[in-house]
Amino acid sequence: SSAPLTIEFPESLPVSARRQEIERAIRDQRLSNTAQITACLGAGGNCGACLPDLRALLDTSRQPIST
């Protein structure tokens, strides 16, 4: 089994401050794309600079959790 993927976000990005909230919404509301994240939380709806970060959070949330 490979090591879990770890993604680091610079603290200066708005997505960094809301990372846990976004991850929780992805999991609890079964969000599957950036448009759904934007509709649900507003993240990624302004300039779009954080869309790659949101995609990365979607990708990591799809990985199985090791126990």
Side-chain angles (χ1 to χ4, degrees):
S1 168
S2 61
L5 180 63
T6 302
I7 297 175
E8 299 290 329
F9 296 101
E11 290 301 318
S12 60
L13 295 176
V15 70
S16 295
R18 298 181 67 192
R19 180 178 179 160
Q20 290 180 339
E21 176 187 6
I22 295 167
E23 288 174 327
R24 189 171 36 256
I26 290 170
R27 182 184 63 247
D28 295 349
Q29 298 182 42
R30 300 177 190 243
L31 305 180
S32 61
N33 59 56
T34 57
Q36 291 173 338
I37 294 172
T38 300
C40 181
L41 301 170
N46 289 326
C47 70
C50 66
L51 290 176
D53 299 323
L54 295 177
R55 285 186 202 100
L57 286 175
L58 284 165
D59 289 344
T60 58
S61 71
R62 291 184 189 122
Q63 293 185 11
I65 299 172
S66 59
T67 55

